[in-house]
Amino acid sequence: MKERMFGRTGKSVSEIGLGTWQLGTRWGEPFQPAEAMKILETAAANGITFVDTADVYNGGKSEETIGEYLSMHPGRFYVTTKCGRRLNPHTAENYTAEAIAGFIGDSLRRMRLERLDMILLHCPPTSVFARDDIFAELDRQKKAGNIADYGVSIEKVSEGLAALDYDISAMEVIFNMFRLKPLDELFPAAAAKNVGIIARVPLASGLLTGKYTADTVFGPKDHRSYNREGAAFDKGETFSGVPYERGLEAVAAIKDILGTGDLAPLAIRWVLMHPEVSVVIPGASRASQVEENVRAAALPPLTQAQMQGIREVYDRMLREIIHPQW
Ligand SMILES: NC(=O)c1ccc[n+]([C@@H]2O[C@H](COP(=O)([O-])OP(=O)(O)OC[C@H]3O[C@@H](n4cnc5c(N)ncnc54)[C@H](OP(=O)(O)O)[C@@H]3O)[C@@H](O)[C@H]2O)c1
């Protein structure tokens, strides 16, 4: 597994990390603690040193399982967590310094840590990206030693650009073959400030693995059933905001370009073709997927013709839907 520098943190992390939104749950199904632990063990055994989580994932169980793992293997993972989504209602008014301080304390407890490696604001309302008081609190928490670094997770490119006015060390953004807009302005601006990029949803919620069809049925509690139109949260988090049928057509075109139906490692390799990315964080609903996804690190680079072909698929089939929204 290769490592990359993680922006201003000064740390180097595995270029492929692990996303844990669905850790041990397969999105919506009951939490399976043994499966969750097996996924973390498989990640570590395959050279992954970076784990992405959030206080809300599986009601806190993602953080707790990571904490349990780290209590047995101290320092084995660099962990990025996120906060804000526990606010109810999730409004800009409810973002306060006290709330942020409370969330940091809760994550420290759940993960049994004395200091968080990295905490991100978890896609807050847009106005929060310009809130001096919130970033001042993150600075205070850093000085107090409760967090080593902080950053933001964003929905829109414009939010990321606003956050670059603050002292952030990293930014998490959707970046995949279906989401090319960050390349235009955001990545150059982040690179100029040495802000690390965490590329999330690299498989477009699994669509870019190439395994789904028009007949695939997702469970009723799976966001890929209920959030396609954004009923619960930003629809960009579900299939990267691409309408499902259009996504299947684009996947078919990409399979032709890459000459294979097994897209998962290649979709991850595509993300890693971009040097601005510090770490890509595919999620895994079972341990075997972690093993498949780390294969991407050993693949040769995609050719210029393949990169160009994928760009043309985006421009022809997706750009007019995706570019204006995020
Ligand atoms: N707002 C935010 O900050 C935010 C939002 C979204 C995600 N995230 C983070 O980003 C991570 C990654 O995003 P994501 O999990 O939403 O989407 P993703 O990584 O694009 O897709 C993950 C899904 O793809 C399928 N999959 C993964 N590897 C596979 C393989 N090798 N072969 C076949 N199928 C495979 C699995 O679905 P099946 O269960 O169908 O097999 C898995 O649940 C999350 O876990 C989370 O840590 C953050």
Side-chain angles (χ1 to χ4, degrees), residues 22 52 153 203 211-212 224 237 281 283 285 289 292-293:
Q22 61 283 76
D52 178 82
S153 184
L203 303 172
K211 69 179 177 179
Y212 305 140
R224 296 170 295 185
E237 305 296 348
I281 52 162
S285 62
Q289 292 180 346
E292 284 159 29
N293 294 339

Side-chain angles (χ1 to χ4, degrees), residues 18-23 26-27 51-54 57 82 85 120-123 152-155 172-174 176 198-212 216 218 222-224 233 237-238 262 264-265 268 281-286 288-293 295:
L18 175 71
T20 65
W21 181 8
Q22 61 283 76
L23 185 74
R26 305 193 178 186
W27 277 324
V51 173
D52 178 82
T53 187
Y57 292 166
K82 316 188 199 74
R85 290 274 158 175
L120 309 177
L121 299 178
H122 196 170
C123 297
V152 292
S153 184
I154 62 163
E155 305 285 8
E172 184 167 316
V173 58
I174 297 181
N176 59 43
I198 306 166
R200 77 171 183 266
V201 196
L203 303 172
S205 315
L207 196 44
L208 277 169
T209 64
K211 69 179 177 179
Y212 305 140
T216 302
F218 298 96
D222 186 326
H223 71 98
R224 296 170 295 185
F233 46 84
E237 305 296 348
T238 302
D262 177 22
I268 294 166
I281 52 162
S285 62
R286 63 209 76 154
S288 60
Q289 292 180 346
V290 177
E291 284 167 347
E292 284 159 29
N293 294 339
R295 278 168 40 210

Side-chain angles (χ1 to χ4, degrees), residues 156-178:
K156 298 185 179 74
V157 162
S158 56
E159 296 169 341
L161 293 171
L164 286 173
D165 284 344
Y166 295 97
D167 204 17
I168 59 172
S169 301
M171 184 180 295
E172 184 167 316
V173 58
I174 297 181
F175 181 58
N176 59 43
M177 293 194 277
F178 286 174

Side-chain angles (χ1 to χ4, degrees), residues 54-314:
D55 56 1
V56 284
Y57 292 166
N58 312 325
K61 291 199 174 66
S62 272
E63 281 193 339
E64 283 167 8
T65 311
I66 292 164
E68 190 184 338
Y69 180 87
L70 289 177
S71 71
M72 296 179 284
H73 309 277
R76 183 63 187 75
F77 293 129
Y78 180 103
V79 181
T80 290
T81 192
K82 316 188 199 74
C83 70
R85 290 274 158 175
R86 284 181 177 258
L87 294 171
N88 187 13
H90 183 241
T91 56
E93 297 71 50
N94 278 340
Y95 273 80
T96 61
E98 295 71 33
I100 297 293
F103 293 143
I104 289 172
D106 291 344
S107 287
L108 284 168
R109 259 190 306 283
R110 272 191 294 270
M111 291 198 279
R112 313 179 197 184
L113 296 171
E114 286 173 7
R115 188 171 65 157
L116 301 177
D117 294 324
M118 170 72 71
I119 192 153
L120 309 177
L121 299 178
H122 196 170
C123 297
T126 299
S127 64
V128 175
F129 291 101
R131 283 270 299 277
D132 291 354
D133 59 329
I134 296 301
F135 288 97
E137 177 60 23
L138 290 167
D139 271 332
R140 260 196 303 278
Q141 292 285 336
K142 190 169 167 174
K143 286 197 187 88
N146 295 328
I147 58 178
D149 280 288
Y150 64 83
V152 292
S153 184
I154 62 163
E155 305 285 8
K156 298 185 179 74
V157 162
S158 56
E159 296 169 341
L161 293 171
L164 286 173
D165 284 344
Y166 295 97
D167 204 17
I168 59 172
S169 301
M171 184 180 295
E172 184 167 316
V173 58
I174 297 181
F175 181 58
N176 59 43
M177 293 194 277
F178 286 174
R179 185 69 78 90
L180 269 54
K181 191 170 172 180
L183 287 169
D184 299 348
E185 265 189 276
L186 187 62
F187 281 8
K193 293 203 157 186
N194 193 22
V195 167
I197 296 286
I198 306 166
R200 77 171 183 266
V201 196
L203 303 172
S205 315
L207 196 44
L208 277 169
T209 64
K211 69 179 177 179
Y212 305 140
T213 69
D215 299 324
T216 302
V217 177
F218 298 96
K221 291 186 184 163
D222 186 326
H223 71 98
R224 296 170 295 185
S225 289
Y226 67 77
N227 197 51
R228 292 186 187 191
E229 295 305 323
F233 46 84
D234 191 296
K235 68 178 180 183
E237 305 296 348
T238 302
F239 299 129
S240 202
V242 173
Y244 189 67
E245 299 294 334
R246 179 71 66 98
L248 291 177
E249 290 168 27
V251 163
I254 291 170
K255 283 181 180 173
D256 281 347
I257 291 164
L258 297 178
T260 175
D262 177 22
L263 291 189
L266 285 164
I268 294 166
R269 187 70 187 88
W270 179 92
V271 174
L272 292 173
M273 292 293 289
H274 301 87
E276 301 89 342
V277 171
S278 300
V279 55
V280 55
I281 52 162
S285 62
R286 63 209 76 154
S288 60
Q289 292 180 346
V290 177
E291 284 167 347
E292 284 159 29
N293 294 339
V294 295
R295 278 168 40 210
L299 290 178
L302 275 68
T303 66
Q304 265 193 359
Q306 289 171 329
M307 294 300 285
Q308 182 59 26
I310 290 162
R311 157 70 71 173
E312 283 165 15
V313 169
Y314 178 80

